[in-house]
């Protein structure tokens, strides 16, 4: 997704990963959206972010795990599968 590409481009352009934490927080907030499509999309974006930034995502794991655990128990099958 474009969000992950943007995050990597900003980091490369600024040499700073300071924007990743707020971006990750916003994505995690979307994990609890009332729309299953939004929740599934947010999970896809978060996954792409992890794939793009690799090990540099490690500091964000502690705040990500609780939201991911909830997504694994989502009532919507697509959301659960994406998680």
């Amino acid at each position: 997704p474009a969000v992950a590409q943007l995050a990597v481009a900003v980091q490369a352009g600024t040499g700073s990963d300071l924007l990743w934490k707020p971006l990750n927080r916003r994505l995690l907030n979307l994990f609890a959206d009332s729309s299953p499509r939004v929740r599934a999309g947010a999970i896809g974006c978060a996954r792409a972010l992890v794939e793009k930034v690799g090990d540099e995502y490690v500091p964000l794991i502690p705040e990500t795990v609780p939201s991911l655990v909830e997504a694994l128990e989502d009532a919507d099958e697509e959301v659960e599968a994406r998680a």
Side-chain angles (χ1 to χ4, degrees):
V3 171
Q5 292 174 347
L6 174 64
V8 172
V10 167
Q11 191 277 335
T14 64
S16 172
D17 61 358
L18 293 177
L19 297 177
W20 289 350
K21 191 166 188 165
L23 173 64
N24 191 61
R25 247 189 235 127
R26 288 186 185 253
L27 284 173
L28 295 178
N29 286 338
L30 293 174
F31 279 28
D33 193 90
S34 61
S35 167
R37 289 184 68 187
V38 171
R39 293 193 306 271
I43 292 167
C45 286
R47 177 174 293 191
L49 182 62
V50 170
E51 290 171 357
K52 292 278 185 191
V53 302
D55 289 343
E56 295 182 43
Y57 188 84
V58 170
L60 302 176
I61 291 174
E63 71 182 42
T64 302
V65 169
S67 297
L68 190 56
V69 168
E70 284 186 34
L72 286 168
E73 298 173 356
D74 198 278
D76 186 84
E77 290 181 18
E78 181 183 355
V79 173
E80 191 177 53
R82 282 194 177 219

